[in-house]
Amino acid sequence: MVQKIVHDWATGKVYPHFQFVFSFRFRDLNAINCRINLRNLILDLYPYFGNILGELWKNPEGLLFTFDGLDEFKDSINFADNRRNTEPQYMCTDPEDWCEVSDIVYSLLQHKLLPGCSVLVTSRPTALHLLEKAEISVWAEILGFVGEEWKEYFNKFFEDQSVAAAVFNHVEENEILYTMCYNPSYCWILGLSLGPFFTQRERKQQRVPKTITQLYSYYIYNILKNHGREIESPRDVLLKIGEMAFTWVSKKKIVFRNGDLIKYNLQPSQFLSGFMMELLERDDSAQSVVYTFPHLTIQEFVAALAQFLSPYPGNIRKLLSEAHSKKDGRFEIFLRFVVGLSSSQSARPLEEFLGPFLHQTICRVIDWVKEMIEGQIRKSGSKTGKRNLLNTLHYLFESQNTALARATVGSVETLTFGDREAECTLQLTPIDCAVLSHVIGLCDTIKYLDLEYCSIQCEGFQRLGPGLHKCQVLRLGANKLRDSGVKLLSAALRNPDCKILRLWLWDNGLTASCTEDLSSALSTNRSLTALNVGCNNLGDSGVKLLSAALRNPDCKIQELDISDNRLTDSCAEDLYSALRTNRSLTWLNLRTNSFTDQSVPALRSLILTCRSLEWIQ
């Protein structure tokens, strides 16, 4: 992305007000082990600037500095540390001042050095907390591919458009794989791993991957198939690669040097190049080769795979517990892969080249998952507890072990990820929703599901929807479901096996457009007794449609909250007409609407009809 920004600036497409753009990578800056000044930092990378830098300092507004990959920087920059502003050894207010690289970056960002210049810093989410105290005026999140761009990628990836269509259809039908497609790197992995299933006749009868672990198993399988014959013992070499990868996951590093390979008795080879990319890097004014996995998740997968190749399974549970205890998320994906690889379906393709996974390791991983889930269910009251529980549900999904799922969550009656206080709730991604739907689908005991303030939105709700009819109490308030989300929920209400008794949909941005579907569902539903659609924008036309459902003699609604919905006198007669024939409703909330004295006769009749009516003008 940074390269494109620099290219577009150089060709005049963006930022015409900048005279010069200086681009640095934190990965390169890690090689600087001494104090340096901004002048030499620039000349080291741009030697042709010679002695003209002094002229540039006179117009800092014309300078843009980009620093790419803060998450890869070896030093931690504390932007809340006031020592940098008061103690001489940390101060860097002049391009000629000698200091640490971290001090230069700090001073540029905090406008202490060359005030008026512009600075762009990029980072993976794992290091964003370092920038919270920095004086940053604009934040941007890179979303990657959206909508039709996913399909377009596969059409360009495969020459055979029938294969492209088959791969995309499989991805589209699979919630977890589909939600990965925003990331171009994931699309590349999907294309490499899934393509053979739709192009090689002998592979068509095998089950196409549906979890990320299964997907990555076939990614590695294809490398082993193409390069496995080039080395005497692929299992031993892959174990060493995995051990090295795990060490670097632990240290949050993604770049390997020749010294790292030597330490693990690895030699550069065509086999190794199947797993890792070779990059030319500057090191002390010289060129050297460094290695990195094509994507961080591939590094995490190989690190997980090494646990099953090791002949010593004794410490696996201790390792998993220690990894799970880290609160910075560095092992989150690694742990999902470990549990996923305990499944025979994920292990089978790799065992063809690597030999059988150690049975003791598989058993100990499964036992650890059981203990973790049972413990997290009991501790899911806090936000941290909710996050830990959600992570363990991801483990269950990756394992695809139905017996394990039913043994651990088969008797759970309550799942709570929301809260009436927004700051105590957990934000759920579409992938989280797909995992949650999978768990609900496996268990028939979950009666109460609280997802209030979870920011699910319509895309997440699409993933969550299929299993919702099995729950008795659904709290879905403040989730921005919009009308399209409620249309999906109406399908659950129409399900003949629907068990939903109480449904909260307050503050979801609903309008009259969704009430036709909702009204139709209420007319046929035989279970729902309480509905809260308060704090929306149903309006008079929406309530008129709901009134039609209330007139249906089969409607079972006993409690209805339509407060704060911009209702006026126009709908009062419709409500009165509906409730004059309705025999189930006993509680109605109409507060915070726009009724006037003209509605008093009809509303008085409502009070007499519903003995427990709560009404505040």
Side-chain angles (χ1 to χ4, degrees):
M1 183 195 72
V2 171
Q3 287 177 340
K4 175 164 175 55
I5 289 174
V6 175
H7 176 270
D8 287 352
W9 165 78
T11 55
K13 296 178 182 178
V14 297
Y15 306 145
H17 55 289
F18 290 130
Q19 290 179 290
F20 299 97
V21 175
F22 298 109
S23 184
F24 302 94
R25 294 191 301 176
F26 281 106
R27 186 187 300 179
D28 294 329
L29 299 180
N30 286 336
I32 300 175
N33 297 313
C34 59
R35 296 171 73 84
I36 194 171
N37 59 28
L38 181 60
R39 169 185 285 277
N40 287 343
L41 191 67
I42 292 175
L43 291 179
D44 190 35
L45 194 61
Y46 303 96
Y48 41 82
F49 272 85
N51 297 318
I52 67 168
L53 285 178
E55 293 300 315
L56 301 188
W57 308 149
K58 297 177 182 179
N59 181 30
E61 290 81 6
L63 304 179
L64 169 64
F65 294 89
T66 74
F67 293 93
D68 188 22
L70 177 62
D71 55 291
E72 299 175 16
F73 194 36
K74 65 181 180 181
D75 297 326
S76 178
I77 306 176
N78 184 359
F79 287 93
D81 188 355
N82 291 324
R83 292 180 303 166
R84 295 181 184 272
N85 301 327
T86 57
E87 298 185 20
Q89 65 267 35
Y90 297 110
M91 295 179 68
C92 183
T93 57
D94 189 282
E96 308 290 339
D97 289 343
W98 291 82
C99 52
E100 301 293 335
V101 172
S102 60
D103 296 323
I104 294 176
V105 177
Y106 171 91
S107 300
L108 285 170
L109 264 175
Q110 299 295 81
H111 316 295
K112 310 292 182 184
L113 175 61
L114 295 180
C117 74
S118 296
V119 184
L120 170 67
V121 177
T122 71
S123 174
R124 288 186 177 88
T126 52
L128 283 182
H129 64 282
L130 298 175
L131 295 171
E132 289 177 354
K133 302 295 183 181
E135 296 182 13
I136 293 176
S137 57
V138 177
W139 296 77
E141 179 181 2
I142 308 304
L143 297 178
F145 289 153
V146 293
E148 287 296 310
E149 292 173 344
W150 303 356
K151 188 174 183 179
E152 182 183 354
Y153 182 95
F154 290 109
N155 287 338
K156 292 182 177 180
F157 188 92
F158 297 102
E159 291 184 6
D160 187 336
Q161 292 303 290
S162 64
V163 174
V167 170
F168 181 74
N169 288 341
H170 174 75
V171 171
E172 193 173 28
E173 291 169 0
N174 187 290
E175 294 90 348
I176 295 293
L177 301 185
Y178 191 65
T179 50
M180 292 170 58
C181 288
Y182 74 93
N183 188 321
S185 294
Y186 285 142
C187 287
W188 175 74
I189 295 169
L190 284 164
L192 286 176
S193 304
L194 297 180
F197 285 93
F198 301 96
T199 57
Q200 297 178 13
R201 184 174 303 173
E202 66 272 16
R203 294 275 290 279
K204 287 186 177 180
Q205 300 305 315
Q206 298 185 30
R207 296 178 64 182
V208 186
K210 63 180 297 186
T211 70
I212 302 176
T213 307
Q214 293 170 11
L215 178 76
Y216 278 51
S217 289
Y218 277 101
Y219 173 82
I220 301 298
Y221 170 90
N222 286 325
I223 295 175
L224 292 169
K225 186 175 182 180
N226 291 322
H227 299 290
R229 299 180 185 87
E230 300 164 7
I231 202 156
E232 186 176 341
S233 177
R235 183 183 181 110
D236 290 343
V237 174
L238 200 51
L239 173 60
K240 294 172 185 176
I241 296 173
E243 289 174 340
M244 183 175 66
F246 177 78
T247 300
W248 253 233
V249 169
S250 304
K251 297 179 179 180
K252 296 198 293 187
K253 302 294 184 182
I254 64 172
V255 178
F256 304 82
R257 303 184 183 277
N258 281 320
D260 301 313
L261 270 60
I262 294 171
K263 181 179 178 181
Y264 287 91
N265 197 24
L266 291 167
Q267 296 293 329
S269 65
Q270 191 172 358
F271 178 75
L272 183 65
S273 67
F275 294 91
M276 305 182 73
M277 301 165 57
E278 296 182 3
L279 302 174
L280 279 176
E281 292 247 330
R282 296 167 53 258
D283 187 5
D284 296 331
S285 302
Q287 296 284 346
S288 62
V289 176
V290 298
Y291 304 87
T292 182
F293 286 90
H295 195 267
L296 176 59
T297 52
I298 296 176
Q299 178 179 333
E300 292 166 319
F301 180 84
V302 175
L305 178 58
Q307 311 310 313
F308 295 89
L309 303 180
S310 172
Y312 309 110
N315 295 325
I316 184 66
R317 292 184 65 173
K318 180 182 177 182
L319 181 147
L320 296 177
S321 297
E322 290 177 351
H324 190 270
S325 67
K326 302 296 183 182
K327 304 304 180 185
D328 57 7
R330 76 180 76 175
F331 289 112
E332 188 173 305
I333 304 302
F334 163 80
L335 288 170
R336 293 181 190 177
F337 284 141
V338 170
V339 179
L341 284 167
S342 69
S343 163
S344 59
Q345 187 175 346
S346 296
R348 191 177 299 116
L350 295 172
E351 288 179 328
E352 179 179 332
F353 294 98
L354 301 177
F357 288 4
L358 213 58
H359 181 68
Q360 297 96 314
T361 302
I362 294 173
C363 291
R364 290 176 184 182
V365 170
I366 291 174
D367 289 341
W368 177 80
V369 174
K370 286 181 180 178
E371 289 183 11
M372 288 301 304
I373 293 177
E374 290 167 358
Q376 298 305 335
I377 288 173
R378 293 193 298 268
K379 301 175 183 178
S380 59
S382 66
K383 188 171 184 177
T384 300
K386 292 169 185 173
R387 169 55 62 188
N388 289 336
L389 175 59
L390 182 62
N391 283 336
T392 54
L393 297 184
H394 273 274
Y395 303 159
L396 277 184
F397 180 86
E398 287 300 317
S399 76
Q400 291 292 297
N401 189 330
T402 302
L404 177 61
R406 287 176 177 160
T408 51
V409 296
S411 59
V412 174
E413 294 188 354
T414 299
L415 281 177
T416 302
F417 295 105
D419 196 283
R420 294 185 179 181
E421 301 294 331
E423 61 271 14
C424 299
T425 197
L426 198 64
Q427 307 295 296
L428 299 182
T429 67
I431 291 180
D432 294 332
C433 292
V435 167
L436 191 55
S437 178
H438 173 77
V439 172
I440 294 172
L442 290 175
C443 306
D444 295 322
T445 58
I446 297 175
K447 297 179 180 178
Y448 183 95
L449 182 62
D450 185 348
L451 301 177
E452 291 189 339
Y453 285 112
C454 286
S455 299
I456 294 173
Q457 302 188 34
C458 187
E459 182 183 355
F461 197 69
Q462 283 181 308
R463 311 301 174 195
L464 187 63
L468 291 181
H469 70 278
K470 302 175 71 173
C471 304
Q472 294 183 13
V473 179
L474 281 176
R475 301 189 69 97
L476 299 172
N479 271 300
K480 301 179 182 178
L481 298 184
R482 311 298 182 195
D483 295 338
S484 53
V486 171
K487 290 181 179 181
L488 292 169
L489 183 59
S490 298
L493 291 171
R494 282 192 289 267
N495 190 312
D497 297 323
C498 181
K499 298 178 181 178
I500 302 174
L501 298 175
R502 306 177 68 83
L503 177 61
W504 277 260
L505 291 173
W506 56 272
D507 193 17
N508 267 295
L510 309 184
T511 70
S513 298
C514 74
T515 51
E516 184 174 355
D517 290 276
L518 189 58
S519 176
S520 172
L522 294 179
S523 297
T524 58
N525 181 277
R526 298 292 180 268
S527 62
L528 192 67
T529 59
L531 176 65
N532 184 335
V533 287
C535 300
N536 285 296
N537 188 25
L538 300 184
D540 294 334
S541 57
V543 170
K544 288 180 180 181
L545 288 169
L546 285 181
S547 299
L550 293 174
R551 278 193 292 270
N552 190 306
D554 294 325
C555 181
K556 305 297 182 184
I557 296 291
Q558 298 173 16
E559 300 176 16
L560 179 63
D561 188 334
I562 49 177
S563 61
D564 195 9
N565 263 287
R566 302 186 182 183
L567 307 185
T568 70
D569 299 337
S570 178
C571 70
E573 286 294 336
D574 293 279
L575 281 171
Y576 170 65
S577 172
L579 298 180
R580 187 172 57 182
T581 59
N582 182 281
R583 296 293 180 265
S584 62
L585 194 69
T586 58
W587 189 91
L588 177 64
N589 186 357
L590 293 172
R591 69 177 70 190
T592 322
N593 281 300
S594 301
F595 296 114
T596 68
D597 291 346
Q598 296 179 18
S599 303
V600 169
L603 295 176
R604 183 183 294 117
S605 298
L606 284 178
I607 295 173
L608 295 174
T609 303
C610 303
R611 298 179 185 276
S612 302
L613 177 64
E614 178 183 345
W615 169 51
I616 300 177
Q617 187 168 0

